[in-house]
Amino acid sequence: MNWLEKFSEALALSLNISILWLPLIMLLTFRLYKLFRDKRAIERQKQMSLLPSLTKTYWEVLKNAFSAARLSPQAVLPYYSSMLKILGPLVRINAIIRDYVIINDPDDIKILLSSTEHITKGPDYRMLEPWLNKGLLTSTDEKWQARRKLLTSTFHFKILETYIPSFNKHAHTLVQNLGKASKNDELITNISSHVTLCALDIVCETILGVSLRSQEGQSTDYVNAIKTVCRIAVKRILTIWLWSDTIFNVSTGGRDFYKSLKVLHTFTENIIQERKQKLIYSENLIAGTEERKRVHSFLDLLIGISKEHPNSMTDADVREEVDTFLFEGHDTSSIAMTMALIHIGMNQNIQDDIREELHGIFGDSRRDATVEDLKAMPILERVIKETMRLYPSVSGIMRKINQPLRLKNHIIPAESIVVIIIHLLHRDESMYPDPEMFNPDRFLPDQCIDRHPFGYIPFSAGPRNCIGQKFAMYQMKTVISTVVRYMKLETLGTQKDIVVIPQLVLKAESLPSLKITSLFKNHK
């Protein structure tokens, strides 16, 4: 036998041994992992079993899952409300695949939201990543902390002040459109559509620095793409088999989602490149000098940040933040403004108080609102706060906890998903007597003194609170005050006619009509 034959025989033998040992090693590794995981899983289930739950047995879990799957969107919030009333302010829900724990005690909520450790969003947010990637809304840990620090300066008071003219301009367009739609005593049956387009125009101009003109019927492809992406993203989150990327990608909804997503991303990318070419960079772009007043959009600031921090803010990073704020900025504020207008039209005494407050600021003039004017509207601010109590734009907050969470009376094991349903927290009778009643006086200073600071969180709270909450409040005050200054609102219905459903943001399923009467013959 020559050396080549000997070598071949030795190689074959070693390969045969490897082929025999490889499955054994893999099997042993898998078994050890399973034993370790099972041990952890058993311990975890012991801890979970100590939490209040309606589903103690496997049969109850299946029965509950089946019942929940049959719920209409309108019945979801009342269903969870009944569970909290039965079991108290902490409820465990075994959803077969995942364990959810709902907390509704402000002390527990404070522990969770104040933590710098438990900042990872729930798994549902992963389904937004094809659109928003790992921007401020969906990122976590070091990336989120670095990004939050970079972006905080972009919502400085002096920057927000430069956005007020855009707020005024688009608020006046909304008034004009409502005036046209209500000619000949026509009722406004789609107030939410009018308000949403106004919010979209405002956000696009302040975030991107471009005029979308959606209230004038322009940019319909972009507007429709946003609607499609939001609608399909919600359906995917609520449909368990669409959680799989493979199934979603080949589904009709998945194909429509990515087709619309291409429209959104292409639009954003083109705007970014155009703005980069037009901007003349200067050291004063981000510095706290008078030059800051020259900044015209959030995108301008991001491009300036990317120049100063090229490793932390690439073109892709700029796009994901622009997409994030376009999504968060228009949909969240539009539902609050819509509901505020509905309730102002429903409560003529409140409307009279607001109008009197505005007359004290503006007199009979038709000048635009300034920042100082917006600060001088405590009555309107209370109306907005009460609106966001009853109809928080984001119905719930989710956190995936990677370490055990020690609450006031319970310990929630790691790998659980903790849920705060803001919609239900804001209806806690111990903090808000007669909680379904619309009563802005709840936010008079003396009424707020003893209220738990984590009992009212429309913008979340703690380190992951909404970075754009001042932007939103200025926007809402400008739009609502402009409408009330120029129009009388009458809601033809009651609060019972309002039907809302929780989606990515709260959505109005059904609203009463509005009768609108112009207070001036000619609006500018």
Side-chain angles (χ1 to χ4, degrees), residues 37-51:
R37 190 178 185 284
D38 283 352
K39 184 178 179 181
R40 286 178 55 190
I42 291 170
E43 181 61 31
R44 185 173 178 282
Q45 287 305 311
K46 285 182 180 179
Q47 294 175 4
M48 293 298 288
S49 68
L50 300 175
L51 303 178

Side-chain angles (χ1 to χ4, degrees), residues 447-496:
Q447 296 293 312
C448 299
I449 291 174
D450 296 326
R451 186 176 299 145
H452 198 295
F454 282 77
Y456 179 72
I457 51 172
F459 294 108
S460 188
R464 289 209 79 146
N465 69 344
C466 175
I467 195 173
Q469 56 186 284
K470 288 184 179 179
F471 175 102
M473 187 59 77
Y474 283 160
Q475 176 191 17
M476 289 187 286
K477 280 187 174 182
T478 304
V479 172
I480 297 169
S481 66
T482 302
V483 172
V484 175
R485 283 172 68 191
Y486 289 93
M487 320 194 98
K488 179 181 179 181
L489 309 174
E490 296 177 76
T491 301
L492 305 182
T494 68
Q495 196 168 323
K496 292 181 179 179

